Amino acid sequence: MIATYGHGTENDFVLVFDPKDEQSITTAQTAAICNRESGIGADGLIRIIKRDEKWFMDYRNADGSLAEMCGNGIRVMARYLVERGHVPEGIFGINTRDGMKHLRVPMVGDISVNMGKVSDEEIAITAANNGHIWNGYNINVGNPHAVVFVDDIAQVGALDDAPIVRPKDTYPEGVNVEFVQITGDNEVTMRVFERGSGETRSCGTGTCAVALAASLHTKQRLPAHWIINPPGGRLEVSIDGHSNATLIGPAVLVKDVDISEFLLA
């Protein structure tokens, strides 16, 4: 089976075009495909399917677990649909486990996606790594995020294992953790540890969580606009007065890949 490898600010994915929803890919097969040592290597897998005549993003983390939404992944999926001629350029919707998301997709250039409401759960959390503990914000973007602010991003150290987040029972299904350094007026640098994937080069929902948390942290009123710099590139997030976020950034298809051998197990 031929799939496609692509990325959004180096947050990378394997895309399987399966509009009739005929190809079942197991948790173990997904993990094998995404394995960077013995597989194709990716932060997640996206099956592009149709449900009720609407495009649906069936997204899996690198370990094969299901995820509600992926802001970089949905842009890469949208790029695939337009570049491969399945949808004309312009505005269209893609359904996800977190509901319908609408995107503006030109033939070339950055893609914008309406990510929906970003909410502060108003529960104080802490995240610990590399001998440091930081206070932070519990932010919901359809999936859970713990956002903490650091004086220097170098303090975070290696993110080989999941940071320790407290209170422990706040995130029974795990959490994405963002470490953020404010570097200028409405501009930040971030690193992220994604549940089910480990440290990634970027995280779309994470940047939206960071934008709201940074607005709260700097005591800014909404609407707000932030430039977010994860290791993989540059993204922009606008949050309106009702806490609805729009994510703007690139999406690139790199190459087609054969995943047949990973579907035999």
Side-chain angles (χ1 to χ4, degrees):
M1 169 179 279
I2 301 301
T4 302
Y5 172 82
H7 72 88
T9 52
E10 299 180 10
N11 193 190
D12 55 354
F13 311 95
V14 173
L15 297 92
V16 177
F17 187 67
D18 183 21
K20 295 183 180 180
D21 196 6
E22 297 173 324
Q23 179 64 56
S24 175
I25 300 179
T26 68
T27 298
Q29 289 168 342
T30 299
I33 292 167
C34 293
N35 188 297
R36 295 192 184 277
E37 301 298 326
S38 57
I40 302 300
D43 292 326
L45 182 142
I46 299 170
R47 271 199 323 134
I48 302 173
I49 66 177
K50 274 192 170 180
R51 289 183 179 171
D52 300 322
E53 299 303 311
K54 296 180 176 66
W55 292 108
F56 183 89
M57 179 176 74
D58 178 18
Y59 181 69
R60 316 291 177 94
N61 295 311
D63 65 355
S65 59
L66 298 180
E68 298 88 348
M69 172 58 185
C70 177
N72 288 321
I74 199 171
R75 294 199 323 279
V76 178
M77 174 175 165
R79 170 63 67 219
Y80 181 99
L81 290 172
V82 169
E83 197 168 298
R84 298 296 171 93
H86 301 291
V87 177
E89 64 177 320
I91 298 173
F92 58 89
I94 294 176
N95 212 354
T96 74
R97 293 186 180 90
D98 186 43
M100 180 68 71
K101 309 297 178 184
H102 289 90
L103 304 97
R104 182 185 296 273
V105 188
M107 188 60 71
V108 294
D110 285 352
I111 294 172
S112 63
V113 51
N114 186 335
M115 298 285 286
K117 189 175 180 64
V118 183
S119 59
D120 174 19
E121 298 297 306
E122 299 184 353
I123 298 173
I125 58 94
T126 64
N129 200 68
N130 195 33
H132 297 271
I133 300 176
W134 297 276
N135 295 317
Y137 301 83
N138 178 3
I139 306 292
N140 191 301
V141 192
N143 57 1
H145 294 264
V147 184
V148 300
F149 291 84
V150 303
D151 294 328
D152 184 347
I153 205 74
Q155 295 173 338
V156 176
L159 285 172
D160 298 326
D161 299 307
I164 299 171
V165 180
R166 297 286 187 266
K168 188 175 181 179
D169 59 359
T170 304
Y171 305 105
E173 297 181 0
V175 62
N176 305 288
V177 186
E178 285 81 26
F179 298 91
V180 183
Q181 178 185 348
I182 296 177
T183 54
D185 292 338
N186 285 72
E187 184 163 359
V188 303
T189 296
M190 67 170 272
R191 288 175 64 190
V192 56
F193 188 98
E194 295 192 58
R195 61 175 182 172
S197 296
E199 182 175 13
T200 59
R201 300 283 292 171
S202 182
C203 175
T205 56
T207 59
C208 295
V210 166
L212 178 61
S215 300
L216 295 169
H217 191 68
T218 58
K219 298 179 170 55
Q220 288 190 39
R221 291 186 177 181
L222 301 181
H225 183 87
W226 288 87
I227 295 170
I228 317 282
N229 296 294
R234 180 182 187 275
L235 293 161
E236 297 182 46
V237 178
S238 293
I239 301 184
D240 67 18
H242 302 286
S243 292
N244 294 300
T246 299
L247 172 65
I248 303 167
V252 180
L253 303 183
V254 178
K255 60 184 177 180
D256 286 343
V257 292
D258 191 345
I259 62 170
S260 301
E261 63 178 292
F262 305 107
L263 303 180
L264 299 176

